[in-house]
Amino acid sequence: MPDSHSADTESQLPPDSVGVVVPEVAHFETPLELACGKTLPAYDLVYETYGTLNAERTNAVLVCHALSGHHHAAGYHHPDDRKPGWWDAYIGPGKPVDTRHFFVISLNNLGGCHGSTGPLSHNPETGRLWGPDFPVVTVSDWVHSQARLADRLGIERFAAVIGGSLGGMQVLQWSIDYPERIASAAVIAATPRLSAQNIAFNEVARQAIRSDPDFSGGWYAEHDTMPKRGLKLARMVGHITYLSADAMGSKFGRDLRSDDLHFGFGVEFQVESYLRYQGDTFSTTFDANTYLLMTKALDYFDPAAAYDGNLSRAMAPAQCPFLVLSFSSDWRFPPSRSRELVDALIHAGKPVSYANIESPYGHDAFLLPEPRYEAIFSAFMQRAASSSEGEPKEGQP
Amino acid sequence: MMRADLNIIYDWIAPDAHVLDLACGDGVLLENLARHKGVTGYGLEIDADGITHCVARGVSVIEHNLDDGLASFSDQSYDQVIMTQALQALRRPDRMLHEMLRVADEGIITFPNFAYWRHRVHLGLRGYMPVSKSLPHAWYDTPNIHLSTFNDFEHLCRDQGLVIVDRAVGVGNHRGHWTSRLWPNLFGEIAIFRVRRQS
């Protein structure tokens, strides 16, 4: 059984870290039918685990990642790593997702570029890289692949499935597609469907990538190039939507890099320098085709669509208690979108708790330490932990 | 142990009822109702610590400002709606009363009785705005912007065509004794009402 790969000897790591972790790969030979009608004949999922699975196999928590996320949610790959995993603030011993109680699984989704089968993998039918031929995957496809990973790890039912942003959408899909396999759901900084404005921003990002001459119709890897300029632009525009106007204002204001204006088009304002840096870094570490796929998965997500837009009916199969959290300054998926989900759950008579966390950091707030966020997330996860130990459930509406 | 007014309300809630608790605080009433009477429903709360306590108890709680109304809740979707110690802090108590009886058949409301004799002594004899256990704030920082009395509330119910099914008083941490039941407007510190629409 895969277990935590924490190395206790890494004394220089923070005591509330899961320590050094080693990713694992699960290979699947059973073809996976996708929503688009195509079938993935075989695939790999790369994942990490933190904590220990109990004998009853009831303490597993699944972490779902967001647009540019991956399996490395907590801990360090190497003791010298500058930064821990992307949700390290919330996963670890004594943290809200307490690895002293939970066995946490975090994977890279299909179509990703961090080790799971995606555009950079080989297409067995052609012998070429998948590239732009990789099928457009949906949130539902991901959830089905995650369920197979759970089967592989011997997990019948998750104590909790949790995620922020696009990750939160996967949590929702879990509660609909596998209601009997999820005991509680935390949906953080998410939305039940993208707005026209959200899709518009995604389309700008896609056009930035696809119009880069180095994109080569998506076959850039075969040409040994990368559409870096396009991906950089995509990240820059995306990054603006992750921050709030106030957060940007207080971080950069109108600060200049030098004392004078140059009356030119070089980098003059600090915010320009920051965005370019973010874009540059991202464009060398992320795959452009993956970015296109992830934005499509976002755009297509709409569980209510099959029910004439009635989200309440879409959520009818769900059986677990929900925690829905939004952040006051998030304008990408603002609190009103979370409230829409909450209202649908209330109409469907589902147990749900909702809090709107005051934060100046916009959409990114779901990744950052915040005392109130930590307190309520901890309280919810402690309920999930005690329920998974067989305590009777209470307070179901 | 629950607050005196919560104990009275606990007895008034039917087993297995579906309820809304407006301003549910730390969720202690809903937790007890769920555990011992099979009651289901949601609490609404605006205080961050209260919300976290509710989640810790397993009470379903929604962060919500009552001044924004109850638009998220459909007509007649609950058996009873409870609102304890919040009426006096609302911008429009009359509208909330109307909303409560739109979403449920029955409303249970508690509020500090401004005509309680100690309050009258404060104001009438000493000439100061009353400060007491039920009205702990000074006049300048109080959230209580619509103070009223037993008589005022009965008047409002009459105006809205509501029937008062039951009425009780709380004094300190106890249920009121015979003097407060006989003259609630003078001896009742906490007013507790159970109202329905006229059928």
Side-chain angles (χ1 to χ4, degrees):
Chain A
M1 183 54 47
D3 199 343
S4 166
H5 293 271
S6 313
D8 296 332
T9 49
E10 316 302 344
S11 53
Q12 66 270 45
L13 297 176
D16 61 351
S17 166
V18 298
V20 172
V21 288
V22 181
E24 315 215 14
V25 179
H27 180 70
F28 297 84
E29 288 285 353
T30 317
L32 183 70
E33 282 182 36
L34 304 172
C36 64
K38 293 178 187 160
T39 300
L40 266 186
Y43 55 94
D44 288 341
L45 292 175
V46 60
Y47 66 97
E48 291 179 358
T49 68
Y50 324 111
T52 309
L53 186 61
N54 63 17
E56 303 78 30
R57 299 165 185 265
T58 53
N59 67 333
V61 171
L62 179 67
V63 174
C64 303
H65 72 72
L67 176 60
S68 59
H70 41 68
H71 54 288
H72 187 38
Y76 300 81
H77 281 161
H78 190 273
D80 300 332
D81 283 354
R82 203 168 47 88
K83 280 182 178 174
W86 57 269
W87 219 5
D88 194 85
Y90 290 87
I91 302 169
K95 293 178 184 173
V97 185
D98 194 335
T99 48
R100 294 172 305 183
H101 301 302
F102 292 117
F103 175 66
V104 182
I105 302 166
S106 172
L107 80 160
N108 183 215
N109 280 325
L110 285 175
C113 54
H114 292 89
S116 290
T117 299
L120 293 175
S121 316
H122 282 276
N123 177 352
E125 283 170 16
T126 62
R128 297 171 81 185
L129 294 181
W130 275 102
D133 282 351
F134 195 85
V136 172
V137 280
T138 64
V139 167
S140 205
D141 295 331
W142 285 337
V143 166
H144 295 317
S145 68
Q146 290 161 3
R148 287 192 181 175
L149 179 62
D151 294 341
R152 178 71 57 88
L153 299 178
I155 290 146
E156 184 70 31
R157 188 167 190 253
F158 282 107
V161 180
I162 61 177
S165 193
L166 177 55
M169 298 177 187
Q170 292 159 58
V171 178
L172 276 186
Q173 196 69 50
W174 261 95
S175 73
I176 297 169
D177 288 349
Y178 296 100
E180 71 291 347
R181 298 192 70 175
I182 161 174
S184 42
V187 181
I188 302 170
T191 173
R193 67 173 82 89
L194 259 59
S195 67
Q197 189 191 42
N198 293 145
I199 296 172
F201 274 114
N202 281 346
E203 177 58 6
V204 172
R206 283 190 293 263
Q207 284 305 316
I209 291 167
R210 295 174 61 84
S211 60
D212 185 328
D214 286 336
F215 182 65
S216 309
W219 295 108
Y220 47 87
E222 292 193 342
H223 296 88
D224 248 353
T225 60
M226 273 166 86
K228 279 190 199 159
R229 284 162 296 176
L231 194 51
K232 174 182 170 180
L233 277 179
R235 183 60 171 181
M236 284 170 77
V237 74
H239 210 86
I240 295 169
T241 70
Y242 306 148
L243 302 178
S244 70
D246 281 349
M248 251 193 195
S250 60
K251 196 166 181 179
F252 307 108
R254 295 179 51 83
D255 295 353
L256 296 170
R257 295 188 74 207
S258 61
D259 290 341
D260 304 308
L261 295 177
H262 296 292
F263 298 94
F265 298 97
V267 177
E268 294 194 275
F269 291 96
Q270 289 292 4
V271 66
E272 295 174 313
S273 159
Y274 171 79
L275 277 183
R276 287 189 194 199
Y277 173 77
Q278 290 292 333
D280 280 331
T281 313
F282 190 74
S283 69
T284 54
T285 54
F286 207 82
D287 178 59
N289 283 318
T290 289
Y291 200 85
L292 296 176
L293 289 172
M294 297 284 164
T295 61
K296 269 297 182 195
L298 274 165
D299 290 2
Y300 284 171
F301 182 71
D302 185 5
Y307 300 90
D308 298 325
N310 187 327
L311 184 60
S312 203
R313 279 175 52 210
M315 296 310 301
Q319 294 172 7
C320 61
F322 288 82
L323 175 68
V324 179
L325 298 178
S326 61
F327 298 90
S328 59
S329 58
D330 183 352
W331 61 279
R332 182 178 170 85
F333 300 152
S336 56
R337 308 309 309 281
S338 283
R339 194 53 208 264
E340 217 175 288
L341 168 63
V342 169
D343 286 355
L345 288 167
I346 290 173
H347 280 127
K350 307 297 177 188
V352 53
S353 288
Y354 166 67
N356 180 35
I357 311 292
E358 193 69 33
S359 164
Y361 299 113
H363 188 61
D364 265 355
F366 86 88
L367 299 165
L368 304 172
E370 208 290 323
R372 186 186 172 200
Y373 175 20
E374 286 164 28
I376 193 165
F377 197 9
S378 290
F380 185 75
M381 293 308 290
Q382 276 163 23
R383 294 289 306 181
S386 53
S387 305
S388 73
E389 283 160 13
E391 205 182 82
K393 274 190 219 151
E394 288 146 18
Q396 306 253 330
Chain B
M1 199 186 91
M2 290 195 293
R3 242 166 41 205
D5 56 335
L6 298 186
N7 277 316
I8 293 171
I9 294 168
Y10 179 88
D11 293 339
W12 282 355
I13 302 290
D16 302 317
H18 194 46
V19 305
L20 267 187
D21 186 354
L22 312 181
C24 65
D26 62 6
V28 65
L29 176 64
L30 280 176
E31 186 193 25
N32 277 305
L33 285 169
R35 181 176 294 183
H36 305 299
K37 294 182 94 168
V39 168
T40 59
Y42 302 94
L44 269 53
E45 184 48 60
I46 200 165
D47 176 66
D49 292 336
I51 292 167
T52 298
H53 280 123
C54 287
V55 170
R57 290 174 192 274
V59 166
S60 287
V61 60
I62 312 295
E63 177 166 341
H64 184 80
N65 184 344
L66 294 179
D67 279 328
D68 294 339
L70 300 178
S72 305
F73 303 92
S74 1
D75 296 0
Q76 300 304 300
S77 47
Y78 294 85
D79 299 311
Q80 289 163 305
V81 183
I82 307 155
M83 185 168 67
T84 59
Q85 305 295 333
L87 185 82
Q88 75 281 357
L90 297 177
R91 215 153 43 211
R92 287 296 297 266
D94 55 334
R95 288 186 187 156
M96 179 48 83
L97 192 58
H98 189 264
E99 274 286 87
M100 288 173 75
L101 291 165
R102 174 183 67 76
V103 302
D105 297 328
E106 188 173 294
I108 297 171
I109 297 114
T110 82
F111 58 90
N113 174 30
F114 199 66
Y116 178 51
W117 69 270
R118 285 180 189 275
H119 298 156
R120 295 188 194 205
V121 168
H122 257 271
L123 187 61
L125 299 181
R126 301 179 55 212
Y128 288 104
M129 280 300 280
V131 175
S132 68
K133 212 176 256 178
S134 60
L135 291 174
H137 300 89
W139 63 271
Y140 46 83
D141 65 359
T142 180
N144 302 325
I145 54 176
H146 283 118
L147 292 163
S148 66
T149 69
F150 261 90
N151 292 352
D152 285 326
F153 190 76
E154 288 185 359
H155 200 117
L156 175 62
C157 290
R158 259 201 312 278
D159 283 354
Q160 292 206 0
L162 304 178
V163 181
I164 295 169
V165 183
D166 224 331
R167 200 179 67 172
V169 293
V171 181
N173 258 336
H174 315 282
R175 293 175 189 221
H177 68 5
W178 66 272
T179 47
S180 58
R181 284 197 296 275
L182 203 54
W183 297 292
N185 204 39
L186 184 58
F187 292 111
E189 189 175 9
I190 305 288
I192 310 171
F193 280 91
R194 187 173 169 186
V195 298
R196 286 177 159 266
R197 252 171 297 97
Q198 233 146 24
S199 45

PDB file of all heavy atoms in Angstrom, chain A residues 3 29 56 98 121 127 152 192 200 203 209 235 308 314 336 354:
ATOM      1  N   ASP A   3       2.249   4.614   0.912  1.00  0.00           N
ATOM      2  CA  ASP A   3       2.169   5.259   2.212  1.00  0.00           C
ATOM      3  C   ASP A   3       2.842   6.620   2.107  1.00  0.00           C
ATOM      4  O   ASP A   3       3.397   6.970   1.074  1.00  0.00           O
ATOM      5  CB  ASP A   3       2.868   4.362   3.219  1.00  0.00           C
ATOM      6  CG  ASP A   3       2.463   4.685   4.643  1.00  0.00           C
ATOM      7  OD1 ASP A   3       1.926   5.767   4.866  1.00  0.00           O
ATOM      8  OD2 ASP A   3       2.705   3.847   5.507  1.00  0.00           O
ATOM      9  N   GLU A  29      -4.858   0.005 -17.720  1.00  0.00           N
ATOM     10  CA  GLU A  29      -4.988  -0.611 -19.040  1.00  0.00           C
ATOM     11  C   GLU A  29      -6.445  -0.640 -19.498  1.00  0.00           C
ATOM     12  O   GLU A  29      -6.726  -0.858 -20.667  1.00  0.00           O
ATOM     13  CB  GLU A  29      -4.431  -2.040 -19.019  1.00  0.00           C
ATOM     14  CG  GLU A  29      -2.914  -2.121 -18.924  1.00  0.00           C
ATOM     15  CD  GLU A  29      -2.197  -1.776 -20.229  1.00  0.00           C
ATOM     16  OE1 GLU A  29      -2.883  -1.600 -21.254  1.00  0.00           O
ATOM     17  OE2 GLU A  29      -0.954  -1.651 -20.210  1.00  0.00           O
ATOM     18  N   GLU A  56      -9.429   0.214   8.333  1.00  0.00           N
ATOM     19  CA  GLU A  56     -10.784   0.151   7.771  1.00  0.00           C
ATOM     20  C   GLU A  56     -10.867   0.878   6.432  1.00  0.00           C
ATOM     21  O   GLU A  56     -11.908   0.857   5.775  1.00  0.00           O
ATOM     22  CB  GLU A  56     -11.810   0.764   8.739  1.00  0.00           C
ATOM     23  CG  GLU A  56     -11.847   0.140  10.125  1.00  0.00           C
ATOM     24  CD  GLU A  56     -10.710   0.618  11.023  1.00  0.00           C
ATOM     25  OE1 GLU A  56     -10.240   1.775  10.845  1.00  0.00           O
ATOM     26  OE2 GLU A  56     -10.262  -0.169  11.881  1.00  0.00           O
ATOM     27  N   ASP A  98      -5.582  17.364   8.317  1.00  0.00           N
ATOM     28  CA  ASP A  98      -4.582  16.898   9.272  1.00  0.00           C
ATOM     29  C   ASP A  98      -4.109  15.495   8.901  1.00  0.00           C
ATOM     30  O   ASP A  98      -4.864  14.525   8.991  1.00  0.00           O
ATOM     31  CB  ASP A  98      -5.201  16.920  10.670  1.00  0.00           C
ATOM     32  CG  ASP A  98      -4.151  16.791  11.763  1.00  0.00           C
ATOM     33  OD1 ASP A  98      -3.075  16.220  11.484  1.00  0.00           O
ATOM     34  OD2 ASP A  98      -4.410  17.259  12.884  1.00  0.00           O
ATOM     35  N   SER A 121       2.479  13.025 -23.713  1.00  0.00           N
ATOM     36  CA  SER A 121       2.674  11.569 -23.705  1.00  0.00           C
ATOM     37  C   SER A 121       2.546  11.036 -25.125  1.00  0.00           C
ATOM     38  O   SER A 121       2.049  11.716 -26.023  1.00  0.00           O
ATOM     39  CB  SER A 121       1.599  10.901 -22.827  1.00  0.00           C
ATOM     40  OG  SER A 121       1.426  11.601 -21.623  1.00  0.00           O
ATOM     41  N   GLY A 127       2.082   6.513 -32.406  1.00  0.00           N
ATOM     42  CA  GLY A 127       3.498   6.519 -32.083  1.00  0.00           C
ATOM     43  C   GLY A 127       4.045   7.925 -31.908  1.00  0.00           C
ATOM     44  O   GLY A 127       5.158   8.106 -31.435  1.00  0.00           O
ATOM     45  N   ARG A 152      -7.970   1.405  -7.263  1.00  0.00           N
ATOM     46  CA  ARG A 152      -6.638   0.844  -7.252  1.00  0.00           C
ATOM     47  C   ARG A 152      -6.030   0.886  -5.851  1.00  0.00           C
ATOM     48  O   ARG A 152      -5.346  -0.035  -5.423  1.00  0.00           O
ATOM     49  CB  ARG A 152      -5.754   1.634  -8.237  1.00  0.00           C
ATOM     50  CG  ARG A 152      -4.302   1.195  -8.313  1.00  0.00           C
ATOM     51  CD  ARG A 152      -4.111  -0.153  -8.983  1.00  0.00           C
ATOM     52  NE  ARG A 152      -4.651  -0.204 -10.333  1.00  0.00           N
ATOM     53  CZ  ARG A 152      -3.996   0.136 -11.442  1.00  0.00           C
ATOM     54  NH1 ARG A 152      -2.758   0.561 -11.351  1.00  0.00           N
ATOM     55  NH2 ARG A 152      -4.577   0.038 -12.622  1.00  0.00           N
ATOM     56  N   PRO A 192     -20.615  27.026  -9.869  1.00  0.00           N
ATOM     57  CA  PRO A 192     -21.312  25.904 -10.504  1.00  0.00           C
ATOM     58  C   PRO A 192     -21.226  25.938 -12.023  1.00  0.00           C
ATOM     59  O   PRO A 192     -21.517  24.939 -12.679  1.00  0.00           O
ATOM     60  CB  PRO A 192     -22.756  26.060 -10.026  1.00  0.00           C
ATOM     61  CG  PRO A 192     -22.893  27.488  -9.623  1.00  0.00           C
ATOM     62  CD  PRO A 192     -21.527  27.951  -9.191  1.00  0.00           C
ATOM     63  N   ALA A 200     -14.807  34.358 -21.608  1.00  0.00           N
ATOM     64  CA  ALA A 200     -14.132  35.358 -22.436  1.00  0.00           C
ATOM     65  C   ALA A 200     -12.642  35.444 -22.078  1.00  0.00           C
ATOM     66  O   ALA A 200     -11.788  35.468 -22.970  1.00  0.00           O
ATOM     67  CB  ALA A 200     -14.806  36.721 -22.264  1.00  0.00           C
ATOM     68  N   GLU A 203     -10.883  32.499 -23.419  1.00  0.00           N
ATOM     69  CA  GLU A 203     -10.714  32.565 -24.872  1.00  0.00           C
ATOM     70  C   GLU A 203      -9.548  33.483 -25.246  1.00  0.00           C
ATOM     71  O   GLU A 203      -8.797  33.181 -26.181  1.00  0.00           O
ATOM     72  CB  GLU A 203     -12.019  33.027 -25.537  1.00  0.00           C
ATOM     73  CG  GLU A 203     -11.956  33.204 -27.051  1.00  0.00           C
ATOM     74  CD  GLU A 203     -11.538  31.950 -27.828  1.00  0.00           C
ATOM     75  OE1 GLU A 203     -11.398  30.879 -27.230  1.00  0.00           O
ATOM     76  OE2 GLU A 203     -11.330  32.063 -29.058  1.00  0.00           O
ATOM     77  N   ILE A 209      -2.231  31.785 -27.090  1.00  0.00           N
ATOM     78  CA  ILE A 209      -1.404  30.589 -27.328  1.00  0.00           C
ATOM     79  C   ILE A 209      -1.470  30.173 -28.795  1.00  0.00           C
ATOM     80  O   ILE A 209      -0.444  29.950 -29.458  1.00  0.00           O
ATOM     81  CB  ILE A 209      -1.876  29.423 -26.428  1.00  0.00           C
ATOM     82  CG1 ILE A 209      -1.556  29.726 -24.966  1.00  0.00           C
ATOM     83  CG2 ILE A 209      -1.240  28.104 -26.860  1.00  0.00           C
ATOM     84  CD1 ILE A 209      -2.231  28.811 -23.967  1.00  0.00           C
ATOM     85  N   ARG A 235      -0.868  33.430 -19.356  1.00  0.00           N
ATOM     86  CA  ARG A 235      -0.666  33.448 -17.909  1.00  0.00           C
ATOM     87  C   ARG A 235      -0.822  34.851 -17.347  1.00  0.00           C
ATOM     88  O   ARG A 235      -1.360  35.046 -16.261  1.00  0.00           O
ATOM     89  CB  ARG A 235       0.722  32.898 -17.589  1.00  0.00           C
ATOM     90  CG  ARG A 235       1.014  32.791 -16.107  1.00  0.00           C
ATOM     91  CD  ARG A 235       0.039  31.878 -15.416  1.00  0.00           C
ATOM     92  NE  ARG A 235       0.430  31.596 -14.047  1.00  0.00           N
ATOM     93  CZ  ARG A 235      -0.260  30.811 -13.235  1.00  0.00           C
ATOM     94  NH1 ARG A 235      -1.378  30.252 -13.647  1.00  0.00           N
ATOM     95  NH2 ARG A 235       0.149  30.589 -12.011  1.00  0.00           N
ATOM     96  N   ASP A 308     -32.079  21.528 -17.624  1.00  0.00           N
ATOM     97  CA  ASP A 308     -32.625  22.834 -18.026  1.00  0.00           C
ATOM     98  C   ASP A 308     -32.087  23.967 -17.169  1.00  0.00           C
ATOM     99  O   ASP A 308     -32.807  24.915 -16.862  1.00  0.00           O
ATOM    100  CB  ASP A 308     -34.164  22.838 -17.940  1.00  0.00           C
ATOM    101  CG  ASP A 308     -34.771  21.824 -18.882  1.00  0.00           C
ATOM    102  OD1 ASP A 308     -34.202  21.631 -19.970  1.00  0.00           O
ATOM    103  OD2 ASP A 308     -35.798  21.216 -18.511  1.00  0.00           O
ATOM    104  N   ALA A 314     -29.803  19.094 -10.471  1.00  0.00           N
ATOM    105  CA  ALA A 314     -28.515  18.456 -10.775  1.00  0.00           C
ATOM    106  C   ALA A 314     -27.855  17.917  -9.510  1.00  0.00           C
ATOM    107  O   ALA A 314     -27.193  16.889  -9.525  1.00  0.00           O
ATOM    108  CB  ALA A 314     -27.589  19.446 -11.468  1.00  0.00           C
ATOM    109  N   SER A 336     -21.001  35.616  -4.918  1.00  0.00           N
ATOM    110  CA  SER A 336     -22.367  35.400  -5.418  1.00  0.00           C
ATOM    111  C   SER A 336     -22.494  34.069  -6.156  1.00  0.00           C
ATOM    112  O   SER A 336     -23.555  33.448  -6.157  1.00  0.00           O
ATOM    113  CB  SER A 336     -22.778  36.554  -6.334  1.00  0.00           C
ATOM    114  OG  SER A 336     -21.836  36.703  -7.381  1.00  0.00           O
ATOM    115  N   TYR A 354     -21.998  27.475   4.650  1.00  0.00           N
ATOM    116  CA  TYR A 354     -21.364  28.440   3.749  1.00  0.00           C
ATOM    117  C   TYR A 354     -20.758  29.585   4.537  1.00  0.00           C
ATOM    118  O   TYR A 354     -21.377  30.113   5.458  1.00  0.00           O
ATOM    119  CB  TYR A 354     -22.390  29.000   2.763  1.00  0.00           C
ATOM    120  CG  TYR A 354     -21.903  30.233   2.014  1.00  0.00           C
ATOM    121  CD1 TYR A 354     -20.858  30.146   1.107  1.00  0.00           C
ATOM    122  CD2 TYR A 354     -22.465  31.491   2.255  1.00  0.00           C
ATOM    123  CE1 TYR A 354     -20.386  31.268   0.440  1.00  0.00           C
ATOM    124  CE2 TYR A 354     -22.009  32.615   1.588  1.00  0.00           C
ATOM    125  CZ  TYR A 354     -20.971  32.505   0.687  1.00  0.00           C
ATOM    126  OH  TYR A 354     -20.496  33.616   0.033  1.00  0.00           O
TER     127      TYR A 354
END
